[in-house]
Amino acid sequence: MDLSRFEPLDDFRWALAGGAGRAPVILYGDRELLAAMDDKVLEQIGNVARLPGLVGAAMTMPDAHWGYGFPIGGVAAFDAEQGGIVSAGGVGFDISCGIRCLRTGLTLDKLARKMKALADGLFVSIPAGLGREGHLHVDPQTLDRVLAGGAQWAVERGYGKPVDLEYIEDHGRADGADPTQVSAQAKARQLGEMGTLGSGNHYLEVQVVDRVLDAEAAAAFGIAEGDVLVSIHCGSRGLGHQIGTEYLVSLAKAAARLGIDLPDRELACAPIASPEGQAYLGAMRAGINCALANRQILAYLTRRTFGHFFPGADLETLFDVSHNTCKAEPHRVDGRERILHVHRKGATRAFGPGHPALPERYRAVGQPVIIGGSMGTGSYLLAGCAEGEARAFSSASHGAGRQMSRSAALRRWRGRQLIDELAERGILIRTESMRGAAEEAPGAYKDVHRVAEATEGAGLARRVAFLRPKICVKG
């Protein structure tokens, strides 16, 4: 990407002034990260800046890369009172894809004695892979209750503890979900997929806290160097994908009916207040609840497996955060509070210290933010910054971000060889798909250290700890 078109606001913020029906654009990241991005990222976020009712700038996070509609790592907020829109292309197909992070109460020395057995046990107990069904099958009536209740439904059915809900965004349930706006076909795809990881970049990873960079926040998060954590990365599975597919069509028709000039057909949208906009929001929120319930069930399965190998181990929820959503949130703009529909496509909500939505335990230091790395490279745990509210509506990076397509990765790496190389480094990979392992090769992603440093440098979230992988179960 040619940065000569941008005005550098500082070392980590780059602005492109608005004009000709387009709002401003701000890209977050250091010069090297942005220079390496495809020009398609700028084209896509520039198109977002032309959508009606946008408040402030259209933004990309340091891990941004080309996507469908919005770039992955795109953030934009819209005001319904000013004709603001909701776009399925601004949420993505894997609605509420996110990460559940668990403290295990174990340390690396204890894990090392049973690591291979634990890896094998997790591979058996955690269903992973394209189209893979789980141990829990639900009927259509029960699924409607899942879509309305989210993680709260799962806890009520014994898949976890009530205290889990305190450490999940929105207490484990999105208000305003409307299962009647989800098609029968979307529901049919989910009946056997509750409690499953899926494929692609979804994973369950056992990690060790390798370095603590912010002692105060680490203490609040209940972690120390040498502690073992678990991260579960997945979303709403086939149901979310079907919702996204179907509503791209209905929202495109709504845009045509209402005379909205779409700069890109992938940005199919409708006014938030329109019948089509409300229908999508109801379905999308049902998709959020599906994902929250899914991760809650997977956390239960993980606890059960750890309990078999480490009797008495108490796996607590550190936090659960989504990164493919549109949420109605109060934000202060130009001196007054407004309700904005914030699209975060491959971006994480990152409330700063003192925010009333945070658990009391974390309120003094800010919301836990997880930047997931690629298979074998490690991840970062961060905390939201106060300045992130004004800069990006309290949003931050969600992962390392791809720098190479899956097809290019397949041409460069072989899954079996990659798994063997990682094993030599003490990282155990368990997967049924050698192709999937090659697609998710560490070299196919940006440098997670640089992304985390840029996220901190931009004032979006500050680094708390680096997590080194030990076991990865994936599709």
Side-chain angles (χ1 to χ4, degrees):
M1 184 185 297
D2 180 8
L3 296 181
S4 65
R5 292 171 286 180
F6 290 85
E7 176 190 355
L9 303 178
D10 54 37
D11 289 342
F12 299 96
R13 294 184 298 155
W14 307 76
L16 187 65
R22 181 178 56 74
V25 168
I26 295 179
L27 276 59
Y28 291 97
D30 65 29
R31 179 180 292 275
E32 289 76 16
L33 281 170
L34 297 184
M37 288 182 188
D38 193 293
D39 285 338
K40 187 73 173 177
V41 173
L42 179 57
E43 177 187 334
Q44 288 190 317
I45 201 63
N47 287 336
V48 173
R50 297 181 184 279
L51 295 174
L54 178 70
V55 176
M59 296 167 277
T60 62
M61 301 291 102
D63 58 331
H65 54 106
W66 175 84
Y68 187 98
F70 277 47
I72 298 168
V75 175
F78 297 86
D79 189 338
E81 294 183 358
Q82 295 184 350
I85 57 86
V86 60
S87 172
V91 173
F93 291 101
D94 193 2
I95 296 168
S96 193
C97 182
I99 295 180
R100 168 74 64 98
C101 189
L102 304 168
R103 290 182 293 264
T104 69
L106 303 171
T107 53
L108 180 58
D109 58 337
K110 293 180 181 178
L111 175 70
R113 300 184 212 127
K114 299 182 179 180
M115 199 165 80
K116 185 178 183 300
L118 177 63
D120 294 338
L122 288 169
F123 186 54
V124 171
S125 62
I126 304 296
L130 183 64
R132 175 82 181 274
E133 294 196 343
H135 311 294
L136 173 64
H137 285 248
V138 297
D139 58 41
Q141 293 73 31
T142 301
L143 182 60
D144 278 352
R145 291 191 282 273
V146 173
L147 301 185
Q152 293 183 14
W153 172 89
V155 168
E156 289 168 1
R157 298 310 182 278
Y159 296 104
K161 303 171 285 188
V163 70
D164 288 333
L165 302 174
E166 186 177 350
Y167 299 99
I168 304 174
E169 273 188 326
D170 305 320
H171 297 281
R173 177 181 177 273
D175 289 334
D178 186 352
T180 67
Q181 300 298 339
V182 180
S183 73
Q185 184 176 356
K187 292 175 181 177
R189 294 184 63 177
Q190 195 62 31
L191 298 178
E193 291 191 347
M194 296 306 303
T196 64
L197 278 179
S199 59
N201 65 343
H202 296 156
Y203 58 77
L204 180 148
E205 194 166 88
V206 180
Q207 307 158 323
V208 62
V209 179
D210 187 68
R211 296 193 308 277
V212 167
L213 300 116
D214 185 320
E216 180 187 5
F221 292 170
I223 63 169
E225 289 183 6
D227 285 354
V228 173
L229 306 180
V230 177
S231 287
I232 302 169
H233 178 211
C234 65
S236 50
R237 303 289 283 111
L239 179 136
H241 195 281
Q242 192 66 33
I243 290 172
T245 300
E246 293 172 355
Y247 275 93
L248 282 168
V249 176
S250 66
L251 292 176
K253 291 178 178 177
R257 177 176 65 83
L258 296 168
I260 297 175
D261 183 19
L262 294 178
D264 180 352
R265 61 182 298 177
E266 294 180 1
L267 290 174
C269 62
I272 294 163
S274 70
E276 294 91 344
Q278 288 297 299
Y280 173 69
L281 285 169
M284 186 268 302
R285 289 163 179 159
I288 290 176
N289 284 336
C290 176
L292 294 175
N294 191 35
R295 290 197 290 273
Q296 183 66 38
I297 296 167
L298 285 166
Y300 167 82
L301 296 173
T302 303
R303 285 169 169 150
R304 194 169 65 178
T305 304
F306 265 79
H308 174 76
F309 293 100
F310 302 98
D314 184 17
L315 274 66
E316 303 173 322
T317 295
L318 193 156
F319 205 65
D320 186 305
V321 63
S322 300
H323 47 240
N324 278 351
T325 60
C326 172
K327 292 190 173 181
E329 301 168 353
H331 290 279
R332 197 162 191 82
V333 180
D334 297 330
R336 69 182 183 92
E337 189 173 276
R338 297 159 66 177
I339 300 298
L340 304 179
H341 283 70
V342 184
H343 294 65
R344 298 184 179 95
K345 165 93 170 278
T348 292
R349 189 161 74 180
F351 288 145
H355 198 284
L358 294 180
E360 183 63 35
R361 177 172 183 168
Y362 304 152
R363 198 165 295 169
V365 297
Q367 178 199 304
V369 174
I370 302 163
I371 295 182
S374 61
M375 181 181 65
T377 62
S379 303
Y380 275 88
L381 182 62
L382 301 88
C385 293
E387 57 262 49
E389 166 62 16
R391 294 190 172 187
F393 301 108
S394 294
S395 306
S397 305
H398 84 302
R402 292 195 77 93
Q403 64 177 356
M404 183 184 296
S405 70
R406 287 184 166 86
S407 58
L410 283 172
R411 289 193 295 270
R412 185 164 179 180
W413 289 285
R414 294 291 176 267
R416 182 71 266 168
Q417 180 182 1
L418 189 64
I419 290 170
D420 291 343
E421 290 173 355
L422 290 171
E424 291 178 2
R425 291 167 43 197
I427 303 168
L428 303 182
I429 308 298
R430 295 293 183 267
T431 179
E432 291 181 350
S433 171
M434 294 300 111
R435 177 189 177 93
E439 290 177 342
E440 298 303 313
Y445 284 80
K446 304 178 197 294
D447 183 341
V448 69
H449 303 290
R450 170 157 268 164
V451 169
E453 289 166 5
T455 301
E456 179 173 282
L460 305 175
R462 67 188 187 282
R463 292 171 296 164
V464 175
F466 174 64
L467 314 178
R468 181 160 47 90
K470 300 303 294 179
I471 296 170
C472 182
V473 175
K474 64 181 305 300

Short mmCIF file of all heavy atoms in Angstrom, two decimals, residues 201-258:
data_model
loop_
_atom_site.label_atom_id
_atom_site.label_comp_id
_atom_site.label_asym_id
_atom_site.label_seq_id
_atom_site.Cartn_x
_atom_site.Cartn_y
_atom_site.Cartn_z
N ASN A 201 -9.33 -21.33 10.55
CA ASN A 201 -8.43 -20.84 11.60
C ASN A 201 -8.99 -21.04 13.00
O ASN A 201 -8.49 -20.45 13.96
CB ASN A 201 -8.12 -19.35 11.37
CG ASN A 201 -9.36 -18.48 11.52
OD1 ASN A 201 -10.49 -18.97 11.48
ND2 ASN A 201 -9.15 -17.18 11.67
N HIS A 202 -9.99 -21.88 13.13
CA HIS A 202 -10.56 -22.15 14.45
C HIS A 202 -9.72 -23.20 15.18
O HIS A 202 -9.21 -24.13 14.55
CB HIS A 202 -12.01 -22.64 14.32
CG HIS A 202 -12.91 -21.61 13.74
ND1 HIS A 202 -14.07 -21.92 13.09
CD2 HIS A 202 -12.81 -20.26 13.68
CE1 HIS A 202 -14.67 -20.82 12.67
NE2 HIS A 202 -13.92 -19.79 13.02
N TYR A 203 -9.60 -23.05 16.48
CA TYR A 203 -8.72 -23.95 17.22
C TYR A 203 -9.05 -23.94 18.70
O TYR A 203 -9.73 -23.04 19.20
CB TYR A 203 -7.25 -23.52 17.04
CG TYR A 203 -6.97 -22.08 17.48
CD1 TYR A 203 -6.85 -21.74 18.82
CD2 TYR A 203 -6.82 -21.07 16.53
CE1 TYR A 203 -6.61 -20.43 19.22
CE2 TYR A 203 -6.56 -19.76 16.92
CZ TYR A 203 -6.45 -19.45 18.27
OH TYR A 203 -6.21 -18.15 18.65
N LEU A 204 -8.53 -24.94 19.39
CA LEU A 204 -8.41 -24.93 20.85
C LEU A 204 -6.91 -25.02 21.13
O LEU A 204 -6.23 -25.92 20.63
CB LEU A 204 -9.14 -26.10 21.49
CG LEU A 204 -9.05 -26.17 23.03
CD1 LEU A 204 -10.32 -26.79 23.60
CD2 LEU A 204 -7.83 -26.96 23.51
N GLU A 205 -6.41 -24.07 21.89
CA GLU A 205 -4.97 -24.03 22.14
C GLU A 205 -4.69 -23.98 23.63
O GLU A 205 -5.28 -23.18 24.36
CB GLU A 205 -4.35 -22.81 21.44
CG GLU A 205 -2.83 -22.86 21.34
CD GLU A 205 -2.29 -21.82 20.36
OE1 GLU A 205 -2.04 -20.68 20.80
OE2 GLU A 205 -2.14 -22.16 19.17
N VAL A 206 -3.79 -24.86 24.06
CA VAL A 206 -3.28 -24.83 25.43
C VAL A 206 -1.99 -24.02 25.40
O VAL A 206 -1.08 -24.30 24.61
CB VAL A 206 -3.01 -26.25 25.95
CG1 VAL A 206 -2.48 -26.20 27.39
CG2 VAL A 206 -4.30 -27.09 25.89
N GLN A 207 -1.91 -23.01 26.26
CA GLN A 207 -0.84 -22.02 26.19
C GLN A 207 -0.21 -21.82 27.56
O GLN A 207 -0.84 -22.06 28.60
CB GLN A 207 -1.41 -20.67 25.70
CG GLN A 207 -2.20 -20.77 24.40
CD GLN A 207 -3.17 -19.61 24.22
OE1 GLN A 207 -3.78 -19.13 25.18
NE2 GLN A 207 -3.34 -19.17 22.99
N VAL A 208 1.01 -21.35 27.56
CA VAL A 208 1.68 -20.99 28.80
C VAL A 208 1.99 -19.49 28.77
O VAL A 208 2.34 -18.94 27.73
CB VAL A 208 2.97 -21.81 29.02
CG1 VAL A 208 3.98 -21.57 27.90
CG2 VAL A 208 3.60 -21.50 30.37
N VAL A 209 1.81 -18.84 29.92
CA VAL A 209 2.16 -17.42 30.03
C VAL A 209 3.68 -17.32 29.99
O VAL A 209 4.36 -17.68 30.95
CB VAL A 209 1.59 -16.80 31.31
CG1 VAL A 209 2.00 -15.32 31.41
CG2 VAL A 209 0.08 -16.94 31.35
N ASP A 210 4.20 -16.86 28.87
CA ASP A 210 5.65 -16.83 28.64
C ASP A 210 6.29 -15.58 29.23
O ASP A 210 7.36 -15.64 29.82
CB ASP A 210 5.92 -16.90 27.13
CG ASP A 210 7.39 -17.04 26.80
OD1 ASP A 210 7.95 -18.10 27.12
OD2 ASP A 210 7.98 -16.09 26.25
N ARG A 211 5.61 -14.43 29.06
CA ARG A 211 6.14 -13.16 29.57
C ARG A 211 4.98 -12.29 30.04
O ARG A 211 3.97 -12.17 29.35
CB ARG A 211 6.91 -12.38 28.49
CG ARG A 211 8.14 -13.05 27.98
CD ARG A 211 8.99 -12.08 27.15
NE ARG A 211 8.24 -11.41 26.10
CZ ARG A 211 8.00 -11.93 24.91
NH1 ARG A 211 8.40 -13.16 24.63
NH2 ARG A 211 7.33 -11.25 23.99
N VAL A 212 5.15 -11.67 31.18
CA VAL A 212 4.19 -10.67 31.67
C VAL A 212 4.77 -9.30 31.39
O VAL A 212 5.91 -9.01 31.73
CB VAL A 212 3.91 -10.85 33.17
CG1 VAL A 212 3.18 -9.62 33.73
CG2 VAL A 212 3.09 -12.11 33.42
N LEU A 213 3.98 -8.45 30.72
CA LEU A 213 4.45 -7.11 30.36
C LEU A 213 3.76 -6.01 31.16
O LEU A 213 4.21 -4.86 31.14
CB LEU A 213 4.23 -6.87 28.86
CG LEU A 213 4.97 -7.86 27.96
CD1 LEU A 213 3.98 -8.71 27.17
CD2 LEU A 213 5.90 -7.15 27.04
N ASP A 214 2.67 -6.33 31.83
CA ASP A 214 1.95 -5.36 32.66
C ASP A 214 1.54 -6.09 33.93
O ASP A 214 0.55 -6.84 33.95
CB ASP A 214 0.72 -4.83 31.92
CG ASP A 214 -0.01 -3.72 32.68
OD1 ASP A 214 -0.14 -3.83 33.91
OD2 ASP A 214 -0.48 -2.76 32.05
N ALA A 215 2.31 -5.90 35.00
CA ALA A 215 2.11 -6.68 36.23
C ALA A 215 0.76 -6.40 36.88
O ALA A 215 0.11 -7.31 37.39
CB ALA A 215 3.25 -6.40 37.21
N GLU A 216 0.34 -5.12 36.86
CA GLU A 216 -0.93 -4.77 37.50
C GLU A 216 -2.10 -5.45 36.80
O GLU A 216 -2.97 -6.05 37.45
CB GLU A 216 -1.12 -3.26 37.49
CG GLU A 216 -2.43 -2.81 38.15
CD GLU A 216 -2.70 -1.33 37.99
OE1 GLU A 216 -1.94 -0.64 37.29
OE2 GLU A 216 -3.71 -0.84 38.57
N ALA A 217 -2.14 -5.36 35.49
CA ALA A 217 -3.24 -5.99 34.76
C ALA A 217 -3.18 -7.51 34.86
O ALA A 217 -4.21 -8.18 34.99
CB ALA A 217 -3.21 -5.55 33.30
N ALA A 218 -1.98 -8.08 34.81
CA ALA A 218 -1.84 -9.53 34.93
C ALA A 218 -2.37 -10.01 36.27
O ALA A 218 -3.05 -11.05 36.35
CB ALA A 218 -0.38 -9.94 34.76
N ALA A 219 -2.10 -9.26 37.33
CA ALA A 219 -2.61 -9.64 38.65
C ALA A 219 -4.13 -9.59 38.66
O ALA A 219 -4.80 -10.47 39.23
CB ALA A 219 -2.02 -8.71 39.72
N ALA A 220 -4.71 -8.56 38.05
CA ALA A 220 -6.16 -8.47 37.98
C ALA A 220 -6.75 -9.60 37.16
O ALA A 220 -7.82 -10.13 37.49
CB ALA A 220 -6.57 -7.12 37.37
N PHE A 221 -6.06 -10.00 36.10
CA PHE A 221 -6.54 -11.10 35.26
C PHE A 221 -6.27 -12.47 35.89
O PHE A 221 -6.73 -13.49 35.37
CB PHE A 221 -5.86 -11.06 33.89
CG PHE A 221 -6.25 -9.87 33.03
CD1 PHE A 221 -5.56 -9.60 31.86
CD2 PHE A 221 -7.29 -9.03 33.39
CE1 PHE A 221 -5.90 -8.52 31.06
CE2 PHE A 221 -7.65 -7.94 32.61
CZ PHE A 221 -6.95 -7.68 31.44
N GLY A 222 -5.51 -12.50 36.99
CA GLY A 222 -5.25 -13.75 37.69
C GLY A 222 -4.24 -14.65 37.01
O GLY A 222 -4.34 -15.87 37.09
N ILE A 223 -3.23 -14.04 36.36
CA ILE A 223 -2.22 -14.84 35.67
C ILE A 223 -0.81 -14.43 36.09
O ILE A 223 -0.59 -13.31 36.53
CB ILE A 223 -2.34 -14.71 34.14
CG1 ILE A 223 -2.09 -13.27 33.69
CG2 ILE A 223 -3.70 -15.21 33.66
CD1 ILE A 223 -1.94 -13.12 32.19
N ALA A 224 0.12 -15.38 35.95
CA ALA A 224 1.52 -15.13 36.23
C ALA A 224 2.35 -15.96 35.26
O ALA A 224 1.85 -16.90 34.64
CB ALA A 224 1.86 -15.50 37.68
N GLU A 225 3.62 -15.62 35.13
CA GLU A 225 4.49 -16.37 34.23
C GLU A 225 4.53 -17.84 34.63
O GLU A 225 4.63 -18.18 35.81
CB GLU A 225 5.89 -15.77 34.23
CG GLU A 225 5.96 -14.42 33.53
CD GLU A 225 7.36 -13.85 33.46
OE1 GLU A 225 8.31 -14.55 33.85
OE2 GLU A 225 7.51 -12.69 33.00
N GLY A 226 4.42 -18.71 33.63
CA GLY A 226 4.41 -20.14 33.86
C GLY A 226 3.02 -20.73 33.99
O GLY A 226 2.87 -21.97 33.97
N ASP A 227 2.00 -19.89 34.11
CA ASP A 227 0.62 -20.39 34.21
C ASP A 227 0.15 -20.95 32.87
O ASP A 227 0.54 -20.47 31.81
CB ASP A 227 -0.33 -19.28 34.64
CG ASP A 227 -0.21 -18.94 36.11
OD1 ASP A 227 0.54 -19.63 36.82
OD2 ASP A 227 -0.85 -17.96 36.54
N VAL A 228 -0.72 -21.94 32.94
CA VAL A 228 -1.29 -22.55 31.74
C VAL A 228 -2.70 -22.01 31.51
O VAL A 228 -3.53 -22.00 32.43
CB VAL A 228 -1.33 -24.08 31.87
CG1 VAL A 228 -2.07 -24.72 30.69
CG2 VAL A 228 0.08 -24.63 31.96
N LEU A 229 -2.96 -21.54 30.29
CA LEU A 229 -4.27 -21.05 29.88
C LEU A 229 -4.77 -21.89 28.71
O LEU A 229 -4.01 -22.62 28.08
CB LEU A 229 -4.20 -19.58 29.44
CG LEU A 229 -3.59 -18.56 30.41
CD1 LEU A 229 -3.62 -17.17 29.79
CD2 LEU A 229 -4.32 -18.57 31.74
N VAL A 230 -6.06 -21.77 28.41
CA VAL A 230 -6.65 -22.40 27.24
C VAL A 230 -7.43 -21.33 26.48
O VAL A 230 -8.20 -20.57 27.08
CB VAL A 230 -7.60 -23.55 27.62
CG1 VAL A 230 -8.25 -24.14 26.37
CG2 VAL A 230 -6.86 -24.64 28.38
N SER A 231 -7.22 -21.26 25.17
CA SER A 231 -8.01 -20.37 24.32
C SER A 231 -8.82 -21.21 23.34
O SER A 231 -8.28 -22.11 22.69
CB SER A 231 -7.10 -19.40 23.54
OG SER A 231 -6.57 -18.42 24.41
N ILE A 232 -10.11 -20.91 23.24
CA ILE A 232 -11.03 -21.61 22.34
C ILE A 232 -11.53 -20.60 21.32
O ILE A 232 -12.24 -19.66 21.67
CB ILE A 232 -12.20 -22.23 23.11
CG1 ILE A 232 -11.69 -23.20 24.18
CG2 ILE A 232 -13.15 -22.95 22.16
CD1 ILE A 232 -12.77 -23.66 25.16
N HIS A 233 -11.15 -20.80 20.06
CA HIS A 233 -11.47 -19.84 19.00
C HIS A 233 -12.46 -20.48 18.04
O HIS A 233 -12.11 -21.41 17.31
CB HIS A 233 -10.18 -19.46 18.27
CG HIS A 233 -10.39 -18.52 17.12
ND1 HIS A 233 -9.59 -18.51 16.00
CD2 HIS A 233 -11.32 -17.55 16.91
CE1 HIS A 233 -10.00 -17.59 15.16
NE2 HIS A 233 -11.06 -16.99 15.68
N CYS A 234 -13.70 -20.00 18.03
CA CYS A 234 -14.71 -20.51 17.10
C CYS A 234 -15.90 -19.56 17.12
O CYS A 234 -15.91 -18.58 17.86
CB CYS A 234 -15.15 -21.92 17.47
SG CYS A 234 -15.99 -22.01 19.06
N GLY A 235 -16.91 -19.86 16.30
CA GLY A 235 -18.05 -18.97 16.20
C GLY A 235 -19.37 -19.69 16.07
O GLY A 235 -19.63 -20.69 16.75
N SER A 236 -20.21 -19.20 15.14
CA SER A 236 -21.60 -19.66 15.04
C SER A 236 -21.78 -20.75 13.99
O SER A 236 -22.92 -21.07 13.64
CB SER A 236 -22.52 -18.47 14.73
OG SER A 236 -22.02 -17.72 13.64
N ARG A 237 -20.67 -21.26 13.47
CA ARG A 237 -20.68 -22.43 12.60
C ARG A 237 -21.59 -22.26 11.37
O ARG A 237 -21.72 -21.17 10.84
CB ARG A 237 -21.05 -23.67 13.42
CG ARG A 237 -20.15 -23.94 14.62
CD ARG A 237 -18.77 -24.42 14.19
NE ARG A 237 -18.81 -25.82 13.80
CZ ARG A 237 -18.64 -26.27 12.57
NH1 ARG A 237 -18.41 -25.43 11.57
NH2 ARG A 237 -18.68 -27.56 12.30
N GLY A 238 -22.25 -23.32 10.95
CA GLY A 238 -23.04 -23.26 9.72
C GLY A 238 -24.22 -22.31 9.79
O GLY A 238 -24.60 -21.70 8.79
N LEU A 239 -24.78 -22.15 10.99
CA LEU A 239 -25.91 -21.24 11.13
C LEU A 239 -25.51 -19.81 10.80
O LEU A 239 -26.20 -19.12 10.04
CB LEU A 239 -26.46 -21.33 12.55
CG LEU A 239 -27.64 -20.41 12.88
CD1 LEU A 239 -28.72 -21.15 13.65
CD2 LEU A 239 -27.18 -19.19 13.69
N GLY A 240 -24.39 -19.35 11.35
CA GLY A 240 -23.95 -17.99 11.08
C GLY A 240 -23.63 -17.77 9.62
O GLY A 240 -23.96 -16.72 9.05
N HIS A 241 -23.02 -18.76 8.99
CA HIS A 241 -22.67 -18.63 7.58
C HIS A 241 -23.93 -18.52 6.72
O HIS A 241 -24.00 -17.71 5.78
CB HIS A 241 -21.82 -19.82 7.13
CG HIS A 241 -21.14 -19.60 5.82
ND1 HIS A 241 -21.80 -19.72 4.62
CD2 HIS A 241 -19.85 -19.26 5.52
CE1 HIS A 241 -20.95 -19.48 3.63
NE2 HIS A 241 -19.77 -19.18 4.15
N GLN A 242 -24.94 -19.31 7.06
CA GLN A 242 -26.17 -19.28 6.29
C GLN A 242 -26.91 -17.95 6.47
O GLN A 242 -27.47 -17.39 5.51
CB GLN A 242 -27.08 -20.45 6.68
CG GLN A 242 -28.25 -20.68 5.76
CD GLN A 242 -27.82 -21.13 4.38
OE1 GLN A 242 -26.82 -21.82 4.22
NE2 GLN A 242 -28.57 -20.74 3.35
N ILE A 243 -26.92 -17.42 7.70
CA ILE A 243 -27.53 -16.11 7.95
C ILE A 243 -26.85 -15.06 7.08
O ILE A 243 -27.51 -14.25 6.41
CB ILE A 243 -27.43 -15.73 9.44
CG1 ILE A 243 -28.35 -16.61 10.28
CG2 ILE A 243 -27.78 -14.25 9.64
CD1 ILE A 243 -28.16 -16.43 11.78
N GLY A 244 -25.51 -15.06 7.08
CA GLY A 244 -24.79 -14.08 6.29
C GLY A 244 -25.10 -14.20 4.81
O GLY A 244 -25.33 -13.20 4.12
N THR A 245 -25.13 -15.43 4.31
CA THR A 245 -25.40 -15.67 2.89
C THR A 245 -26.78 -15.16 2.49
O THR A 245 -26.94 -14.47 1.47
CB THR A 245 -25.28 -17.17 2.58
OG1 THR A 245 -23.95 -17.61 2.89
CG2 THR A 245 -25.58 -17.46 1.12
N GLU A 246 -27.78 -15.49 3.28
CA GLU A 246 -29.16 -15.13 2.93
C GLU A 246 -29.42 -13.64 3.06
O GLU A 246 -30.09 -13.04 2.21
CB GLU A 246 -30.13 -15.91 3.82
CG GLU A 246 -30.10 -17.42 3.53
CD GLU A 246 -30.90 -18.23 4.53
OE1 GLU A 246 -31.40 -17.64 5.52
OE2 GLU A 246 -31.02 -19.45 4.33
N TYR A 247 -28.88 -13.01 4.10
CA TYR A 247 -29.18 -11.59 4.31
C TYR A 247 -28.39 -10.69 3.38
O TYR A 247 -28.79 -9.54 3.15
CB TYR A 247 -28.99 -11.21 5.78
CG TYR A 247 -30.24 -11.51 6.58
CD1 TYR A 247 -30.39 -12.73 7.23
CD2 TYR A 247 -31.28 -10.61 6.64
CE1 TYR A 247 -31.54 -13.03 7.95
CE2 TYR A 247 -32.44 -10.89 7.36
CZ TYR A 247 -32.57 -12.10 8.00
OH TYR A 247 -33.73 -12.39 8.71
N LEU A 248 -27.30 -11.16 2.82
CA LEU A 248 -26.65 -10.37 1.78
C LEU A 248 -27.61 -10.14 0.61
O LEU A 248 -27.62 -9.07 0.00
CB LEU A 248 -25.39 -11.07 1.28
CG LEU A 248 -24.17 -10.93 2.19
CD1 LEU A 248 -23.08 -11.90 1.75
CD2 LEU A 248 -23.64 -9.49 2.17
N VAL A 249 -28.44 -11.13 0.32
CA VAL A 249 -29.41 -11.01 -0.76
C VAL A 249 -30.54 -10.06 -0.37
O VAL A 249 -30.88 -9.12 -1.11
CB VAL A 249 -29.98 -12.39 -1.13
CG1 VAL A 249 -31.07 -12.26 -2.19
CG2 VAL A 249 -28.86 -13.31 -1.62
N SER A 250 -31.13 -10.26 0.81
CA SER A 250 -32.27 -9.43 1.21
C SER A 250 -31.86 -7.99 1.45
O SER A 250 -32.60 -7.05 1.14
CB SER A 250 -32.95 -10.02 2.45
OG SER A 250 -32.09 -9.95 3.58
N LEU A 251 -30.65 -7.77 1.99
CA LEU A 251 -30.20 -6.39 2.22
C LEU A 251 -29.86 -5.69 0.92
O LEU A 251 -30.05 -4.47 0.79
CB LEU A 251 -28.99 -6.40 3.16
CG LEU A 251 -29.28 -6.85 4.61
CD1 LEU A 251 -27.98 -6.92 5.41
CD2 LEU A 251 -30.27 -5.92 5.30
N ALA A 252 -29.36 -6.44 -0.06
CA ALA A 252 -29.10 -5.85 -1.38
C ALA A 252 -30.40 -5.40 -2.03
O ALA A 252 -30.47 -4.32 -2.64
CB ALA A 252 -28.37 -6.85 -2.27
N LYS A 253 -31.45 -6.18 -1.90
CA LYS A 253 -32.75 -5.80 -2.43
C LYS A 253 -33.29 -4.57 -1.72
O LYS A 253 -33.88 -3.68 -2.35
CB LYS A 253 -33.73 -6.97 -2.30
CG LYS A 253 -33.41 -8.16 -3.20
CD LYS A 253 -34.40 -9.29 -2.98
CE LYS A 253 -34.11 -10.46 -3.91
NZ LYS A 253 -35.02 -11.61 -3.66
N ALA A 254 -33.07 -4.51 -0.39
CA ALA A 254 -33.53 -3.35 0.38
C ALA A 254 -32.80 -2.09 -0.07
O ALA A 254 -33.40 -1.02 -0.22
CB ALA A 254 -33.32 -3.59 1.87
N ALA A 255 -31.49 -2.20 -0.29
CA ALA A 255 -30.72 -1.04 -0.74
C ALA A 255 -31.23 -0.54 -2.08
O ALA A 255 -31.37 0.68 -2.29
CB ALA A 255 -29.24 -1.42 -0.83
N ALA A 256 -31.53 -1.47 -2.98
CA ALA A 256 -32.06 -1.07 -4.29
C ALA A 256 -33.43 -0.41 -4.15
O ALA A 256 -33.72 0.61 -4.79
CB ALA A 256 -32.14 -2.29 -5.20
N ARG A 257 -34.26 -0.97 -3.30
CA ARG A 257 -35.61 -0.42 -3.10
C ARG A 257 -35.57 0.98 -2.52
O ARG A 257 -36.39 1.84 -2.89
CB ARG A 257 -36.40 -1.36 -2.18
CG ARG A 257 -37.81 -0.87 -1.83
CD ARG A 257 -38.56 -1.89 -0.98
NE ARG A 257 -37.97 -2.09 0.33
CZ ARG A 257 -38.18 -1.31 1.38
NH1 ARG A 257 -38.95 -0.23 1.26
NH2 ARG A 257 -37.63 -1.58 2.54
N LEU A 258 -34.61 1.23 -1.64
CA LEU A 258 -34.55 2.50 -0.93
C LEU A 258 -33.60 3.50 -1.60
O LEU A 258 -33.38 4.60 -1.08
CB LEU A 258 -34.10 2.25 0.51
CG LEU A 258 -35.09 1.42 1.34
CD1 LEU A 258 -34.47 0.96 2.64
CD2 LEU A 258 -36.36 2.22 1.61
#
